Amino acid sequence: MLKNTLTTSMILLGLGASSAAIAEQKIAVISSFSILGDLVSEVGQEHVTVTNLVKVDGDAHVFSPTPQDAKAISKAQLVVMNGLQFEGWMPRLIEAANYQGVQVVAADGIDELSSKEAGCGHEQHDHAQHSDEHEQHDHEQHSDEHEHHDDAQHDDEHAHHDHGDIDPHAWHSIKNVKVYVRNIAKGLIQVDPENRLDYQQNAAHYTEELDQLALKLCAQLATIPEAQRKVITPHDAFAYFARDFDVTFLSPQGTSTGSEASAADVAKLIKQIRHDNVNAVFMENIADNRLIEQISRETDAKVGGKLYSDALSSPDQPASTYLKMMQYNVDTIVNALQ
Ligand SMILES: [Zn+2]
């Protein structure tokens, strides 16, 4: 009898302590931008609090971290970033925060595209040839740039560019996001091994949702004849989407919003829009859309709506989660091209 009572009270104590611990000790996760933040929330659910450095509708390419951001990182238990040089400001920020905890590079292990493949769409038979040409071309171009920029501060960035002409916008491939989810789950398990099973189950469940969405989106896009699947956006954010969904994306700007489109690039694009009979151009939630409006005026291609490229929307807008963003982008493209 005594033994039973003791066991019961031990169980009660144990339960009380662990539910208090759950209520008090959520894992504080810092995510570099909103799309990743949503993925972390999906995998972490009730075990995490997620703070995004670049907020909804924000542009991570040109983000300037504040001392508050460093402070938030210094208190975090897990930091999640995209990688592929998307957040060039991140390493310095982590150093400034003197953060020693676990870091997840979500894009580790994805199927990468080079920046120069952006906009090539489904013309994969040309890729091998093109990337050869581009590599040579790039090195010449870049070494010129280097000579002009002797500034010590810029050396870091340029060194990165040389090694990684990799398009960072890998989240527009659902296949890649499944890798992101795996990496995030691994990071959470490392920080919080007690809830391993939850993280694994959440990741598996979300991966199923991703698979279902991919099938649905492919079916939607298949209703548009392939020759009509040509899309203009302000910056080259959709090369992975192009590869997965057989849509051709063209942009006046490169893979970063930090670089401006040249007049020659714009003129070339306008010529191509006329030649290829591209009949819709799109705005982006994070970009400067004036150029797109100009292109629309000069080509009679109508503005087909707004695509969500590098950030989610606020909760009252239609792209507040990754799944909603992908669905919204495909709906918008299909509606415009029909
Ligand atoms: Zn971008």
Side-chain angles (χ1 to χ4, degrees), residues 21-150:
I22 287 168
E24 282 162 21
Q25 298 182 348
K26 291 197 179 201
I27 305 297
V29 185
I30 296 289
S31 133
S32 58
F33 72 120
S34 52
I35 294 171
L36 271 190
D38 178 54
L39 301 178
V40 175
S41 299
E42 287 288 351
V43 181
Q45 296 288 346
E46 73 276 15
H47 302 304
V48 296
T49 54
V50 184
T51 307
N52 300 317
L53 297 177
V54 182
K55 306 297 179 196
V56 293
D57 292 321
D59 184 353
H61 293 293
V62 294
F63 178 69
S64 301
T66 63
Q68 281 78 18
D69 293 326
K71 205 171 158 193
I73 286 190
S74 69
K75 290 179 180 166
Q77 286 154 282
L78 180 66
V79 171
V80 183
M81 67 200 92
N82 184 70
L84 309 176
Q85 315 297 341
F86 182 57
E87 312 96 332
W89 36 268
M90 198 60 157
R92 228 171 286 170
L93 182 60
I94 284 174
E95 209 185 308
N98 196 22
Y99 175 75
Q100 310 286 338
V102 177
Q103 296 180 33
V104 168
V105 178
D108 258 358
I110 59 125
D111 188 4
E112 296 170 353
L113 277 178
S114 91
S115 297
K116 294 300 172 188
E117 282 170 293
C120 293
H122 54 281
E123 290 156 0
Q124 283 182 349
H125 52 278
D126 282 330
H127 278 184
Q129 242 192 337
H130 277 176
S131 46
D132 274 357
E133 285 168 27
H134 281 150
E135 268 166 37
Q136 285 166 5
H137 201 78
D138 276 350
H139 285 304
E140 283 162 31
Q141 265 194 334
H142 277 173
S143 42
D144 275 349
E145 280 171 29
H146 274 260
E147 280 162 29
H148 294 299
H149 291 267
D150 287 325

Side-chain angles (χ1 to χ4, degrees), residues 314-328:
S314 54
D316 58 324
Q317 295 295 309
S320 57
T321 68
Y322 175 76
L323 297 174
K324 286 184 185 171
M325 176 188 83
M326 294 302 285
Q327 181 67 66
Y328 182 83

